Amino acid sequence: MTTSRGSDSWYARPAARAWTCAPARARVHAFHASLDGYAATPLIELPAVAVQLGVGRVLVKDESARLGLPAFKVLGASWAIRQVLSLWPAGAHVLLVAATDGNHGRAVARMARLFGQRALVFVPDGVHPAAVAAIAAEGAQVNHVAGAYDEAVPSWIVEGYSTLFAEIDVQLPALRAGPPSLVVVPVGVGSLAQAAVAHYRSKPAGAGAALLAVEPDTAAGVLASLTRGELVSVPTGVTIMAGLNCGTPSSLAWPYLREGLDGAVAVTDADSAAALRELAGHGIAAGPCGAAALAGARAALTGEGAGARRGALAIGPDATVVLICTEGADANPPP
Ligand SMILES: Cc1ncc(COP(=O)(O)O)c(C=O)c1O
C-alpha cells in the first residue's frame, strides 16, 4: 500500500499489526540491570512536538547515555559477548571469535594459537567434518550452530536490544501513558527494528503498536525491500545519518521486517538536521540517527497525504507516539 509521499519514500502494511512471533528471552533485561552503571535510559515527554504532529503524546526514548556510551548499541554487544563467554570455562582471557565455513576459522584458530590466545569458531551445519577437525586441531573451541552463523551472534545482539523496549513497557505506565500507538525506529540493517517487531508482535494480538521504520533516502534498503516484497540491496551515498547508511537489510531481520513492520519512510539529511535542532531546543542532545525518528514521524504524520498515512498506521489525535532516539550528539563526532 502506498500513499502520496510516493512509493519511493513511503510504504505501509496495516496487516502487520495482526502478525505474531516469539518474544526475546526474559532474562536479557535482568542481565543488563546487573551491569555496573546500568540505569534505564530516560523516556522524555515533548508536549509541543505532540501538538505539531497532531497526536496525544510524544515520548522520546533517549539513548544518548547508555551504560556510559552515546548509543543504544552496547545493549546488543554486551548480551552477545555474555553469551559467547558463557561457552567458556570461567576465568578465560581474550577470545577471538570467528564464523566460518572452513578456512577463515582455521586461520583465526592458528593465529590465536600463535599469539597465545583462545579462539571460538562458529561452524554452520554442513561443513565437512575434516574441516571442523582441522579447526579443532589448531586448539580452537568449535561450536556448531543450527542453520547459518547468521542465527548465532547477530541473534544475540538483536535479543540484547529487547531491554530498550522492556524499559519502555515499565516507563509508560509510570508516566500515566497507555501502550504506544506508534513506535518509530531508525533503521540501518534492521536489527533494532527486528527487536522492536519481536517485542511488540509477541504481545497478545491487537495490543501491538504500529511500527514505523525510518531510513535515509540515500540508503533506504528496507523501504525498497518492503516495496518490492523481497530482500534487495540499494546503492548508498553519503549521509549525516552514518549509522543508518546501509544498503542491504539483514537477512536475519528480513522476515520480521516484512511481516511485522506497519510502515517505512525515507527522510533526507535536511529532515534529520531539522529534527536534531528541534530536539536540541527541547533539551535532548540527539545525533543525526537518533533525530531521524522525529524526522520520520513528521514525514509520516504531517504534510500532503498525511490523512491516508495516518489511516494506514491507525493514528488518531489521542495517539501515543514513542520515538527511539538511538544516539546522542557525540556518538559520531567529526574526524
Ligand atoms: C545510532 C544508530 N541508530 C540506529 C542504527 C540502526 O540499527 P540497525 O543497523 O540495527 O538497523 C544504528 C546502527 O549502526 C546506529 O548506530
Side-chain angles (χ1 to χ4, degrees):
M1 173 176 178
T2 57
T3 72
S4 71
R5 267 193 79 79
S7 60
D8 57 340
S9 64
W10 169 252
Y11 163 92
R13 182 176 172 273
R17 284 194 286 293
W19 188 73
T20 57
C21 62
R25 284 175 283 177
R27 56 198 171 87
V28 180
H29 192 184
F31 160 71
H32 286 129
S34 75
L35 296 177
D36 268 0
Y38 169 83
T41 54
L43 188 64
I44 302 166
E45 179 145 25
L46 299 182
V49 176
V51 171
Q52 281 172 22
L53 296 182
V55 297
R57 301 181 75 170
V58 168
L59 300 122
V60 177
K61 183 68 170 162
D62 179 2
E63 293 293 313
S64 61
R66 171 63 83 176
L67 286 165
L69 292 171
F72 74 100
K73 292 222 134 188
V74 64
L75 288 176
S78 57
W79 176 248
I81 289 169
R82 164 60 185 256
Q83 297 308 302
V84 169
L85 291 178
S86 73
L87 299 171
W88 285 91
H93 294 300
V94 175
L95 181 64
L96 300 176
V97 181
T100 184
D101 55 5
N103 293 328
H104 175 64
R106 186 171 181 190
V108 169
R110 169 73 58 89
M111 287 300 123
R113 184 159 60 79
L114 287 179
F115 290 115
Q117 301 295 351
R118 295 177 184 237
L120 171 62
V121 178
F122 289 96
V123 177
D125 286 344
V127 172
H128 195 280
V132 174
I135 296 168
E138 301 287 353
Q141 162 124 359
V142 178
N143 235 78
H144 287 269
V145 288
Y149 157 76
D150 270 356
E151 290 163 30
V153 178
S155 69
W156 289 330
I157 290 172
V158 171
E159 195 167 56
Y161 296 157
S162 65
T163 289
L164 189 158
F165 301 103
E167 288 174 359
I168 293 172
D169 285 349
V170 176
Q171 290 171 313
L172 283 172
L175 293 166
R176 297 182 186 283
S181 321
L182 176 66
V183 179
V184 187
V185 184
V187 165
V189 299
S191 296
L192 178 62
Q194 179 188 347
V197 169
H199 185 80
Y200 291 103
R201 298 291 176 255
S202 58
K203 295 184 176 303
L211 304 176
L212 175 67
V214 184
E215 294 173 291
D217 61 347
T218 52
V222 167
L223 176 65
S225 298
L226 291 170
T227 304
R228 292 267 301 270
E230 61 179 330
L231 201 162
V232 295
S233 295
V234 296
T236 56
V238 174
T239 170
I240 59 171
M241 295 169 268
L244 312 184
N245 197 10
C246 309
T248 306
S250 149
S251 58
L252 184 69
W254 170 240
Y256 291 84
L257 307 182
R258 183 187 61 212
E259 302 298 332
L261 283 178
D262 299 78
V265 68
V267 298
T268 65
D269 276 6
D271 295 334
S272 163
L276 188 151
R277 284 192 299 274
E278 184 169 353
L279 288 170
H282 293 295
I284 298 177
C289 297
L294 174 56
R298 177 162 295 134
L301 302 181
T302 67
E304 192 193 340
R309 292 191 298 274
R310 293 172 74 103
L313 298 172
I315 297 304
D318 298 329
T320 296
V321 176
V322 174
L323 308 176
I324 310 298
C325 184
T326 52
E327 69 177 350
D330 48 358
N332 284 298

